[in-house]
Amino acid sequence: MRQSFGLYLLFWAVVLAGEAQAGCAQGQEVFTSCQIEGRDTEVFVCFDDHIATYSYGPTGGPAELVLSETIERVDYKPWSGSGISIHENITFYNGDYAYNVGGGFDRPFSEEDMQSDIRRFGWVEVTESGVPAASLECVPDTVSYGFGGGLHDLKQAAGLAWDSYSFTWVSQDIQPRPTSILRANPSVDPREYCLPATEFSLGGVRMGDSLRVLGKLGSPEAIDADPMGRGQAIDRMTLVGLEVDIFQETVVALSTTSPDWKMPSGLRVGLTRGEVIRLLGTVPNGYTATASSFASHVCMDNAVSDPEWTMVIDFGQNNRVDNIYFVNASY
């Protein structure tokens, strides 16, 4: 039975994938495709060794929207290995919009099931800034889904591994830490994690640095006449990909949306959530492995005199770091 079941799945994977091959560019394979229920439109997701491509448009006509992403960065989620059906999905991004396309079929669990027609299904879900904008269902008989190998093998060949904890891919070059960077914060609560002050640095620019140290990088400009009513302006130094806020000639905030500015641990914009968790060593208190942001306070040896720094990491809708910023809560 086990052998016949495996051959059955292989047979249907080949059949379902082959039906859509004509809709893919030469040299590409199908991931999934279908005609949309209630609309005279169709969707194709195809791939080769380098890129994955999404196309949507009138049935049999030219595509109205085509999006591509490299195999390494494409947001593909493999089958979990459980449940009554085999299904996978992939998401493409275009500005604030995300296009999630999925396909699958029911698994047979008996000889009788193996003799019956297979049930296919698929979908296209569109969101704008994370808010649902459209939900389209596939005409079942038109669903093509190339289960097996494919994108999963290409991801692994690119040096990536699927992390079912964070539901993201992680580079095999980023190995889990033996001990976490985050540690207990005894001056506040031993059950709360904190981040060492040495990590509050981006590309060598550190929280608490003096303006004298930063002088070689440029000159700051006032951005607010007197935000805290202290008789002194907040100044900002804008570098390529980094903003540095200065108060009383001391750095009180750092912010970047560029992968060129890294924390000492290697944390940077563009990493997946799973890669961030590996570099931190654990998930910060109060957050889950699938949260849209992480935050942590600086470890303070003296709760009265030490600065009140906070790190915030924001993840975009593509599950990668979109922004890193540090702020001194006292200002």
Side-chain angles (χ1 to χ4, degrees), residues 11-47:
F11 168 75
W12 275 109
V14 171
V15 169
L16 297 182
E19 291 177 1
Q21 200 66 40
C24 296
Q26 185 175 2
Q28 288 193 321
E29 300 179 36
V30 65
F31 171 71
T32 190
S33 73
C34 74
Q35 295 177 15
I36 302 302
E37 190 79 54
R39 303 189 181 199
D40 189 19
T41 57
E42 60 187 356
V43 62
F44 286 89
V45 175
C46 308
F47 67 95

Side-chain angles (χ1 to χ4, degrees), residues 41 46 49 69 72 77 85 161 191 196-197 255 283 293 310 319 330:
T41 57
C46 308
D49 291 346
E69 185 57 272
E72 183 178 2
K77 293 180 174 57
S85 61
R191 296 168 298 179
S255 176
V283 176
S293 65
T310 300
N319 302 308
S330 301

Side-chain angles (χ1 to χ4, degrees), residues 27-329:
Q28 288 193 321
E29 300 179 36
V30 65
F31 171 71
T32 190
S33 73
C34 74
Q35 295 177 15
I36 302 302
E37 190 79 54
R39 303 189 181 199
D40 189 19
T41 57
E42 60 187 356
V43 62
F44 286 89
V45 175
C46 308
F47 67 95
D48 58 26
D49 291 346
H50 306 289
I51 64 170
T53 303
Y54 165 94
S55 62
Y56 179 87
T59 302
E64 296 176 344
L65 178 63
V66 177
L67 303 171
S68 296
E69 185 57 272
T70 64
I71 293 298
E72 183 178 2
R73 288 187 60 88
V74 73
D75 190 1
Y76 152 69
K77 293 180 174 57
W79 178 46
S80 66
S82 62
I84 63 173
S85 61
I86 294 174
H87 56 88
E88 297 179 320
N89 65 86
I90 189 169
T91 306
F92 293 82
Y93 302 95
N94 185 26
D96 293 334
Y97 288 89
Y99 301 83
N100 177 267
V101 187
F105 57 91
D106 285 348
R107 292 194 290 167
F109 289 94
S110 66
E111 291 288 349
E112 182 179 354
D113 291 341
M114 292 177 63
Q115 302 303 319
S116 304
D117 291 337
I118 194 169
R119 186 184 77 91
R120 320 180 199 181
F121 55 89
W123 68 86
V124 179
E125 293 180 350
V126 184
T127 59
E128 181 180 7
S129 300
V131 178
S135 181
L136 310 178
E137 293 187 5
C138 292
V139 177
D141 290 344
T142 69
V143 172
S144 299
Y145 166 53
F147 169 69
L151 284 174
H152 189 278
D153 289 352
L154 289 172
K155 283 279 194 180
Q156 288 188 327
L160 302 171
W162 176 248
D163 177 30
S164 58
Y165 182 49
S166 64
F167 292 99
T168 60
W169 291 87
V170 299
S171 170
Q172 295 177 14
D173 293 334
I174 302 177
Q175 294 299 314
R177 289 183 177 274
T179 58
S180 173
I181 292 178
L182 296 170
R183 55 185 176 84
N185 198 356
S187 65
V188 178
D189 186 337
R191 296 168 298 179
E192 180 179 332
Y193 296 145
C194 62
L195 188 69
T198 53
E199 280 295 311
F200 284 77
S201 172
L202 289 168
V205 181
R206 300 177 297 177
M207 289 288 287
D209 272 351
S210 68
L211 181 58
R212 176 178 55 82
V213 173
L214 299 177
K216 61 184 179 181
L217 297 177
S219 300
E221 297 180 356
I223 60 171
D224 196 306
D226 189 9
M228 303 299 293
R230 302 184 183 189
Q232 188 171 344
I234 289 283
D235 295 327
R236 174 168 294 169
M237 184 180 293
T238 302
L239 307 175
V240 178
L242 180 70
E243 290 186 343
V244 184
D245 287 355
I246 301 165
F247 182 74
Q248 295 181 344
E249 299 192 350
T250 301
V251 175
V252 296
L254 294 170
S255 176
T256 185
T257 57
S258 168
D260 295 330
W261 297 88
K262 299 180 182 180
M263 293 169 57
S265 60
L267 280 169
R268 61 173 176 81
V269 168
L271 294 180
T272 67
R273 189 183 293 105
E275 290 168 337
V276 169
I277 295 172
R278 283 195 173 188
L279 289 173
L280 288 176
T282 188
V283 176
N285 294 87
Y287 297 89
T288 67
T290 57
S292 60
S293 65
F294 290 159
S296 181
H297 301 296
V298 67
C299 296
M300 298 190 297
D301 296 326
N302 185 325
V304 176
S305 62
D306 283 350
E308 299 178 22
W309 297 342
T310 300
M311 173 199 71
V312 179
I313 297 175
D314 290 327
F315 298 99
Q317 60 178 348
N318 63 350
N319 302 308
R320 293 178 179 271
V321 178
D322 190 53
N323 182 39
I324 299 174
Y325 65 93
F326 307 138
V327 62
N328 188 331

